[in-house]
Every structure is written in structure tokens, then in C-alpha cells.
Amino acid sequence: MTIDSVGDSLQRVEAQIGRVIIGQQRVIEQALCALLADGHILIEGVPGIAKTLLVRVIAQTLGLQFRRVQFTPDLMPSDLIGTTIFDAQSGEFRVRYGPIFANIVLADEVNRTPPKTQSALLEAMEERKVTIDGVSHALPRPFMVFATQNPIEYEGTYPLPEAQLDRFLLKVVMDYPAEDEERAILRLHDEGFRTHQLEQVGLEPVMDAAELERLRAVVREIQVADEVRDYILQIVRRTRQNEYLLVGASPRAGVALLLVSKALAAIRGRAFVTPDDVKQMATPVLRHRLILKPEAEVEGLNADRILSSILEATPVPR
């Protein structure tokens, strides 16, 4: 498989997604980057902007097994990963696997469940396996977690710990659609589309797990020049020196930025990474890995603004 075939495959995927999801091109592109880089993604946005629908459509378009888990305060680890039960017919214990055993898992409103359940999800994300009654069970391949959270409603939530946030390759902020896009959404629904009846749209799987793995192998071979790697290094290190940041990005963050920059280059049909690829992916890769000082919030700063200033101040290789 060549770099050109990667672009062709992803164009087919984007065409299918576009039959249901109007607009949100940046979010779709970043989700595909996470898929190609074999990482997890956190999507933040207000209710009603198609976060859940987007994940369902991606899974159906790729022909992958999909499970949705609504995270609630009473969700237990066993509800997520499964448990051992006694089978009266056979007289033996057997494992009842939970919804985490799927290719794409949607952790809806992930910050509404207690730390114990979040810890079980963390093991699955990091190790690609879970432990049920002391026995490890490998998760299917590919395996990817899409998690969503609401940025405006914090009552009854459990903020994700930094260790878990760091396991998300990207944090994508999903915004309202543009006016013409929202007009098209109204027209689509007026013509009879219903989000719970995707089968009526006629979405067709245009890829499978084997092809996705071949695409990932091509992405891993994307070339990164020494100057571009150094550019990534300088961006990451400057987050640790910024006066408004208590904690900057870790070495894992630099690796993540390298991987998704390769994925973006592949999507754009290039066999090499440019500084623009790095610059475009820096904010979604780094925004959730930074801890701001109290004075930064007093001055009205957030992670995105601080990253913007760091990117502006970091010399771009030519």
C-alpha cells in the first residue's frame, strides 16, 4: 500500500461520513488522525452537536464493532469490563464480557463516573487489556476509545485525573456548525433523516480492520526531518518554561505530536511531515496535558491561548 492509496481510502471514508455529518471537517480530520495514529480521542462540546452521532457513523463506515457506554455516577467497573458468573448448566464459572470488548467504544459523558470506573477504563486505554477477577483479557484489535464530555455542566461530575487525560492522544473541541451547515442539517431532518435510523441512510462500510492496519503501517513510514523533530521538541519544552503553566507537556506528549503529524501528512497525501502539520496538530495534542497556574485563569487565559503564544514564539524551520 502506498501513500496515494491512504488518501484514496480516507476520501471514501470522508464521503460516507459526509452523508450524515454536515460540516465539522476539522473534527472529522482530527478523528481520522487519531485512528491512523492508533490513539484515543476526547471530544468536548455542548449537547446536541452530534458528538455521539459522529462516532457511530465513523464505526459504521469502517465496518468496526461499536459499543456505546453511558457513563453515570453508579456505573461500576464490572459494568464496563465484565465479570465472572456461575453457569448453572455447565457447573462452571465463565466470563461475561462487558461493552469495552469492541473495536470502537464510545464513553459518553466520561466525567460523570467515579474514579474507580475511570481507572478500569484507563487500564483498557493504556494496556489494551482488562483484568477480570485477577485474569488479564486482551481487547480486540483495533481498539479505540472515543470519550465525550460537556464543558458547561459540572454538577455531579468527576474531573478526569491528569494521568487519564494524558492517555488521550487528542482532545478535540467540537463547536456549533456554521449557519449554512446548520441550514443543511435542518433540511436533512426535514426530509426524514433520523439519527437513530442510520440504516435508512444507506451507509456502507468502505474499510475493514485489516485495511486500517495496512494504512497505519504506511503512516508509520512517513518521513520526519531532523529539523521538524527539533521543532516538535522546542514546542514541548517551551510549555515547561511558560510563566503561566504549572505543569508542561511530557515526553509522551512530544511522541503523540510526532505520530499525529505523520497521520495528518498521510491524509494530505504526503510521505513527509511539514512544520505546518505539527503546528496544526499541536493544540489538540497538548491542550489537555497542561496545568495552568491560578494567575493565568485570573487573567482570562486558557490552554489554547497559551499554546497559540508558544507557537508564535517558536521559530519555524525552513
Side-chain angles (χ1 to χ4, degrees):
M1 182 171 284
T2 65
I3 190 65
D4 291 334
S5 60
V6 174
D8 293 340
S9 297
L10 294 179
Q11 283 180 5
R12 296 198 308 271
V13 171
E14 289 178 333
Q16 288 293 307
I17 295 173
R19 297 178 62 182
V20 177
I21 304 297
I22 308 297
Q24 303 293 354
Q25 293 303 313
R26 175 184 55 82
V27 175
I28 293 171
E29 186 175 65
Q30 291 176 359
L32 293 178
C33 281
L35 275 165
L36 291 177
D38 195 12
H40 311 292
I41 184 169
L42 176 63
I43 304 177
E44 184 176 273
V46 298
I49 57 174
K51 299 187 298 294
T52 299
L53 180 62
L54 172 63
V55 183
R56 289 172 55 204
V57 171
I58 288 175
Q60 190 161 335
T61 301
L62 297 178
L64 299 177
Q65 186 183 24
F66 170 75
R67 292 287 184 273
R68 175 181 178 271
V69 183
Q70 183 66 48
F71 277 51
T72 58
D74 60 349
L75 188 74
M76 299 297 292
S78 58
D79 298 325
L80 178 66
I81 66 174
T83 187
T84 301
I85 62 174
F86 181 72
D87 188 336
Q89 291 184 342
S90 65
E92 298 177 347
F93 286 93
R94 64 178 178 85
V95 176
R96 183 180 65 189
Y97 294 105
I100 198 71
F101 286 86
N103 298 124
I104 292 183
V105 176
L106 172 59
D108 221 347
E109 297 189 277
V110 67
N111 57 335
R112 292 197 174 277
T113 203
K116 183 180 291 187
T117 306
Q118 290 180 1
S119 178
L121 178 64
L122 175 60
E123 180 191 9
M125 292 169 59
E126 178 65 13
E127 305 294 338
R128 309 299 171 101
K129 65 179 180 63
V130 298
T131 303
I132 302 174
D133 289 338
V135 179
S136 292
H137 298 265
L139 293 170
R141 295 289 298 167
F143 172 74
M144 182 178 181
V145 172
F146 282 81
T148 69
Q149 64 179 16
N150 180 350
I152 61 173
E153 186 180 350
Y154 292 104
E155 184 177 353
T157 63
Y158 302 82
L160 299 180
E162 283 70 26
Q164 186 168 349
L165 283 171
D166 196 43
R167 262 62 177 189
F168 285 102
L169 187 69
L170 300 177
K171 179 184 177 182
V172 174
V173 177
M174 198 167 176
D175 206 349
Y176 293 111
E179 182 177 348
D180 59 334
E181 294 168 349
E182 195 162 3
R183 186 177 293 112
I185 292 171
L186 291 174
R187 185 185 306 113
L188 184 65
H189 283 261
D190 188 42
E191 293 171 352
F193 171 72
R194 296 295 180 268
T195 58
H196 60 280
Q197 297 175 335
L198 281 181
E199 64 279 359
Q200 294 184 359
V201 183
L203 285 180
E204 299 178 359
V206 293
M207 194 183 297
D208 57 20
E211 184 175 357
L212 178 58
E213 290 298 333
R214 289 194 294 270
L215 294 180
R216 287 175 172 177
V218 174
V219 170
R220 287 192 290 270
E221 298 302 318
I222 297 290
Q223 298 298 306
V224 185
D226 292 343
E227 313 87 73
V228 176
R229 276 200 304 272
D230 193 59
Y231 182 51
I232 294 172
L233 176 65
Q234 293 306 315
I235 292 171
V236 170
R237 293 187 67 84
R238 284 174 184 242
T239 65
R240 304 171 198 161
Q241 302 160 1
N242 189 275
E243 60 180 322
Y244 292 110
L245 294 178
L246 185 64
V247 176
S250 67
R252 180 188 287 136
V255 173
L257 184 52
L258 176 73
L259 294 176
V260 295
S261 298
K262 285 186 169 190
L264 182 61
I267 289 175
R268 299 287 169 80
R270 281 184 275 101
F272 57 91
V273 174
T274 68
D276 284 342
D277 296 328
V278 175
K279 197 168 186 177
Q280 183 171 336
M281 298 308 300
T283 297
V285 169
L286 300 177
R287 59 163 52 114
H288 56 296
R289 305 173 193 267
L290 309 177
I291 300 179
L292 277 63
K293 293 180 179 178
E295 52 264 37
E297 299 178 1
V298 170
E299 294 187 26
L301 296 174
N302 57 25
D304 285 17
R305 290 183 179 179
I306 293 171
L307 285 168
S308 179
S309 67
I310 290 173
L311 290 171
E312 289 177 6
T314 306
V316 179
R318 300 298 179 187

